[in-house]
Amino acid sequence: RIVVSGGSAGGHLALMAAYTPNSPDFDPEDVRAVDTTVRGVIAYYPVPDLRTLKDTWSEQAMHPLAHALGRSLGYFSKEGYLRWTALAEQLFGGPLDETGDLLLAYSPVAHVGGHCPPTLILQGQHDHVIPLADVRALTQSLVEAGCQVVLVELPQVEHAFDMVALQVSPPAQSALYDVERFLALMV
């Protein structure tokens, strides 16, 4: 009866949790005796494949106004955010060119199979952080595996579209409508 959800990196984690149930590689030792399968997963602008971020996001410069806004809202420390190459090196212990196998192992796309629960993905078509092609590739893999998946592509919509003015944002309201319908199908 559990549906997991998340946005961006949280969407990545939600997909990983949903696609790797009861895995000794991913389940903490204290829950290995518990069934960790979930009924469904909702991912807002998720990271489906860690390997491609080096091509699209590695050294992206953030606009100074976006950085200032992010800092004032508490999304970033005053130092800013870690660039993907630095973050990946800290997480995976080496340069991106040397950690490809690990990047794939920690990517939802690597764990797609008939066991995957129903999946709802909400993605802006103009997301500058997460490549739309990666989300489409994940969706196609799920379809080919015979899984139930719905990809909602929101036109003229950027990353984190649901983070500001949720009450009045048309894309956020549209996504909420889709989430409500998806959850209704899960009960």
Side-chain angles (χ1 to χ4, degrees):
R1 299 186 70 170
I2 295 173
V3 175
V4 292
S5 178
S8 196
H12 168 266
L13 293 175
L15 291 172
M16 287 296 292
Y19 298 172
T20 61
N22 308 311
S23 169
D25 294 331
F26 295 103
D27 283 353
E29 202 167 303
D30 60 334
V31 298
R32 289 206 179 131
V34 178
D35 183 7
T36 59
T37 58
V38 297
R39 176 72 180 99
V41 59
I42 302 167
Y44 282 79
Y45 36 86
V47 181
D49 191 341
L50 292 171
R51 297 169 303 167
T52 64
L53 290 183
K54 68 180 166 68
D55 299 326
T56 58
W57 195 42
S58 63
E59 300 306 323
Q60 231 180 55
M62 181 175 285
H63 190 280
L65 182 59
H67 187 260
L69 179 63
R71 261 196 349 255
S72 69
L73 294 173
Y75 293 131
F76 306 122
S77 69
K78 60 183 168 183
E79 294 82 27
Y81 67 100
L82 279 177
R83 296 191 186 281
W84 171 240
T85 50
L87 178 61
E89 286 182 18
Q90 285 187 8
L91 289 173
F92 298 106
L96 290 173
D97 295 339
E98 298 172 14
T99 57
D101 291 342
L102 276 175
L103 293 173
L104 180 59
Y106 286 92
S107 296
V109 71
H111 302 282
V112 169
H115 66 283
C116 292
T119 302
L120 172 63
I121 302 172
L122 302 146
Q123 178 70 34
Q125 287 182 339
H126 293 87
D127 189 327
H128 78 283
V129 177
I130 305 301
L132 180 58
D134 287 3
V135 175
R136 286 177 176 166
L138 173 65
T139 301
Q140 185 60 37
S141 294
L142 288 163
V143 167
E144 290 170 3
C147 302
Q148 296 175 336
V149 59
V150 175
L151 169 59
V152 178
E153 292 184 21
L154 300 159
Q156 303 298 320
V157 172
E158 206 13 292
H159 194 75
F161 63 86
D162 60 326
M163 299 298 287
V164 178
L166 177 63
Q167 307 279 342
V168 295
S169 165
Q173 290 296 305
S174 175
L176 186 57
Y177 178 86
D178 292 323
V179 167
E180 288 174 345
R181 297 310 166 271
F182 182 79
L183 290 173
L185 292 171
M186 294 297 103
V187 285

